[in-house]
Amino acid sequence: MDSAEYLPEPGARFENVKPFGSRTDVGYVREHNEDNLLVAPPLYVVCDGMGGHEGGEVASEIAVDTIARCAPSELDAEGLGHAVEEANLAVIQAARDGVGKEGMGTTCTAAMLEGEKMVIAQVGDSRAYLLHNGVLQQITRDHSVVADLVESGEISPAQARTHQWRSYITRALGLDPYMQADLYEINVAAGDRLMLCSDGLYSMVPDEGISEILQTVANPQDAADVLVDEALAGGGSDNITVVVVDVTGYSPQKTRKIVRRGKMTAVLIIALMVAIIGMGAAAFGFWINNSAYLGEQDGKVVIYRGVPGDFFGMKFSNLEEFTDVQVDQLQAVLPGPASRLREEGIACDSLDAAKSLVSDYKREIAKKGGGSSAGASAGGASDPSSSSSSDSSASVASSSSSAAASE
Ligand code: CA
């Protein structure tokens, strides 16, 4: 049995009893532990890798390392989200470089807790729970097929636990360069308890059991141990990882001085400031006029001239072209881009790049219809490496499966 415990970075000081504990265990069935965790107050991370031996554990380790490096020094949900997105790109790049395995991926539940404030960035089906006033609450929403089925009322939470699709996740690091993390910002209170875990825990121990252990075992390290023991007693059919953190209400001594803010947001805002203040209205108009993005209207992909979203309450876009690409069809082939398109739009460098991206989508959909599922290589103007920002260039995600099996 493989068990590892990660200690906080040297210099993190607490009173005699540390307000956190953690444990990861390979379980009884799997040969390798593909989970990884990080405990580096105020940052706590659980990643559940997938892709088999030399795939899953590589992906989850890269993710944890990247988040440790890129996480903001202060509590900042968006900054934490960017760190997770950096980790996503790092996993994708590693696979391209021949590190790990093609198609490897990982879930990620990353939390920062300081004083009575907490932020979480979430991807996949590992979870964050909060015990507050004796009530256990699942904070994060799983990105999984069964979570969608439960939400749409098709199956009950109890059925989800045994459903044949329970291990299929709909969002993960390592598959889609445009992947974004769900962000949560939560006020917590002294006496609350945060618990992060991989599905190896909650698939073996029902929430009532988790709740009881978190309420009755005082020391967080003991609580983490008992939770893992309980999952092993329940069968241990998957890797099990648990991080337990007590909310003390005071901020731990900060030892991490890694400052790295969300690149894209900063770049965009600076670009706008420069555009508005420096270049003047005419140049700004030219820039807007020469940008494009993809969005959704009436279930179809549409091309807009301009930039998505609004800035300081103003919109800078016009509908340019209706395409015949159905977003539902795109969803089945490239779920990441389809979701982004629906939610906030996909920015492109130019109208041509937007049109080329639509052509790529058509090709992917046609290919899927023909039974092939290989990722599209951008034949036109959409080369992801041609732009310094992965977010602003147009390219096709290499992921073509609608769901990934988490292990
Ligand atoms: Ca797992």
Side-chain angles (χ1 to χ4, degrees):
M1 201 176 303
D2 178 24
S3 175
E5 187 184 324
Y6 291 71
L7 295 172
E9 291 179 10
R13 288 192 298 274
F14 292 97
E15 276 121 33
N16 289 335
V17 178
K18 293 191 181 82
F20 51 81
S22 64
R23 183 169 153 199
T24 182
D25 196 293
V26 69
Y28 289 141
V29 175
R30 299 189 185 275
E31 280 181 38
H32 305 278
N33 192 346
E34 298 181 35
D35 288 359
N36 259 292
L37 67 85
L38 175 78
V39 174
L43 175 66
Y44 308 90
V45 186
V46 166
C47 287
D48 175 354
M50 59 202 180
H53 181 40
E54 288 173 358
E57 68 261 44
V58 174
S60 62
E61 191 178 344
I62 290 170
V64 160
D65 289 350
T66 308
I67 294 164
R69 197 161 32 81
C70 298
S73 60
E74 310 261 312
L75 237 71
D76 170 15
E78 221 167 278
L80 186 59
H82 280 293
V84 171
E85 283 146 24
E86 284 296 321
N88 174 49
L89 296 176
V91 174
I92 291 171
Q93 191 57 47
R96 283 179 187 159
D97 293 344
V99 178
K101 271 185 187 162
E102 194 72 35
M104 66 180 178
T106 182
T107 71
C108 177
T109 303
M112 291 182 78
L113 172 66
E114 215 162 32
E116 296 194 325
K117 226 178 148 90
M118 178 161 71
V119 295
I120 293 175
Q122 166 70 19
V123 178
D125 68 350
S126 42
R127 290 180 181 172
Y129 287 85
L130 187 73
L131 183 73
H132 175 74
N133 284 342
V135 178
L136 185 71
Q137 236 191 322
Q138 182 185 329
I139 301 170
T140 49
R141 182 193 170 278
D142 293 348
H143 299 130
S144 70
V145 173
V146 290
D148 292 347
L149 292 174
V150 169
E151 260 174 41
S152 64
E154 283 174 64
I155 60 171
S156 69
Q159 287 172 309
R161 295 178 64 80
T162 54
H163 200 279
Q164 55 179 340
W165 294 345
R166 67 186 177 280
S167 59
Y168 284 86
I169 57 176
T170 51
R171 204 187 300 180
L173 275 64
L175 305 175
D176 172 5
Y178 297 122
M179 180 227 75
Q180 289 195 315
D182 283 351
L183 304 180
Y184 301 83
E185 232 176 293
I186 298 150
N187 291 322
V188 290
D192 287 357
R193 195 166 240 194
L194 166 72
M195 196 269 290
L196 310 182
C197 66
S198 60
D199 65 334
L201 176 74
Y202 67 76
S203 60
M204 294 289 123
V205 188
D207 282 6
E208 304 79 62
I210 293 173
S211 176
E212 200 190 319
I213 292 165
L214 287 174
Q215 287 186 72
T216 53
V217 183
N219 180 299
Q221 182 56 56
D222 293 344
D225 286 331
V226 175
L227 284 167
V228 171
D229 289 343
E230 196 66 17
L232 290 168
S237 62
D238 195 358
N239 307 142
I240 310 149
T241 299
V242 174
V243 174
V244 176
V245 189
D246 282 341
V247 179
T248 57
Y250 65 85
S251 303
Q253 298 276 334
K254 273 208 282 296
T255 57
R256 307 175 64 257
K257 286 286 171 216
I258 306 155
V259 181
R260 204 201 137 278
R261 296 281 168 171
K263 181 176 66 182
M264 187 53 205
T265 311
V267 167
L268 206 58
I269 289 172
I270 289 166
L272 273 163
M273 292 298 192
V274 169
I276 294 167
I277 300 164
M279 292 156 59
F284 181 64
F286 177 83
W287 176 62
I288 293 295
N289 217 27
N290 282 279
S291 298
Y293 70 96
L294 302 182
E296 183 199 20
Q297 205 167 308
D298 303 333
K300 297 253 175 85
V301 176
V302 289
I303 301 175
Y304 291 92
R305 188 187 286 273
V307 289
D310 57 80
F311 302 101
F312 314 110
M314 294 178 283
K315 280 196 178 297
F316 299 99
S317 62
N318 283 313
L319 181 64
E320 177 77 16
E321 186 186 325
F322 253 101
T323 75
D324 52 6
V325 177
Q326 301 274 3
V327 179
D328 282 347
Q329 285 183 318
L330 184 64
Q331 181 81 39
V333 188
L334 296 167
S339 303
R340 267 174 62 86
L341 202 130
R342 282 195 167 109
E343 282 158 21
E344 79 258 40
I346 295 176
C348 302
D349 291 337
S350 65
L351 265 182
D352 283 346
K355 286 176 181 168
S356 162
L357 189 56
V358 169
S359 304
D360 288 339
Y361 288 165
K362 280 184 189 163
R363 206 159 42 235
E364 276 299 288
I365 291 167
K367 240 192 240 172
K368 188 79 175 181
S372 163
S373 65
S377 65
S382 55
D383 174 8
S385 63
S386 69
S387 167
S388 60
S389 156
S390 63
D391 242 281
S392 66
S393 71
S395 81
V396 173
S398 60
S399 161
S400 58
S401 59
S402 60
S406 87
E407 295 178 37

